Amino acid sequence: MGKWFRKLWIGLLSGTAALAACNIFSPPPCYYGPPPIDPAQDSVTQSKQNKLEMLRQRIDEIHGVLEERRNSEIYGPPEMMEEYARENRRLQAEADSLEQELKALEME
C-alpha cells in the first residue's frame, strides 16, 4: 500500500509541475507585433472625427507596444536581437506616419 501511495503522490506532483511549466492556464503575452486592427473600424465611410479618434487610438496602442518592447530584456542570438530592433523601427515608422496623417487631417 505504501509503494502504491508514493507512486500516486509522485505522479500527481509531476503532473501538476508539468501543467504549471506548460502554462496552459493563461496564454503568454505577445510582444512580437503591433496590436491587432479591428476590421469593423476599417470602414471607408467614417466621419472625420471617427477617423481622427481611430488614428489617435492606434498611435496610443503602438506607443504602448513600443514602451513594453523597449523595457523588455532579450536573450538569444544576435539575429534575434536584430529582428527585434528591426520590428521596433518598423513600429516607430508606422507611428510616425500615422502622426503625420493625423496632423494633415487636423489641418483640413
Side-chain angles (χ1 to χ4, degrees):
M1 181 75 175
K3 280 187 167 181
W4 182 80
F5 180 71
R6 190 173 4 175
K7 287 181 181 180
L8 178 66
W9 181 248
I10 290 173
L12 287 173
L13 289 177
S14 299
T16 305
L19 287 176
C22 292
N23 197 11
I24 64 168
F25 299 111
S26 64
C30 180
Y31 297 115
Y32 297 106
I37 298 173
D38 187 13
Q41 293 182 353
D42 199 24
S43 174
V44 179
T45 61
Q46 294 178 2
S47 69
K48 183 178 176 181
Q49 281 291 19
N50 287 342
K51 187 161 184 156
L52 289 173
E53 184 61 33
M54 188 180 80
L55 283 174
R56 286 186 191 111
Q57 287 176 355
R58 181 76 176 145
I59 290 169
D60 290 341
E61 289 172 352
I62 291 173
H63 283 301
V65 169
L66 281 171
E67 189 64 32
E68 287 179 13
R69 290 175 66 97
R70 285 185 188 123
N71 294 331
S72 65
E73 296 178 7
I74 305 169
Y75 299 103
E79 294 84 20
M80 184 175 153
M81 292 179 195
E82 289 171 3
E83 177 65 29
Y84 199 79
R86 191 175 317 123
E87 185 66 21
N88 283 350
R89 286 191 300 271
R90 187 192 66 76
L91 285 171
Q92 186 61 50
E94 182 180 351
D96 292 343
S97 68
L98 287 174
E99 287 172 356
Q100 289 176 355
E101 184 178 343
L102 181 66
K103 286 179 184 177
L105 283 174
E106 288 174 343
M107 294 296 222
E108 291 178 358

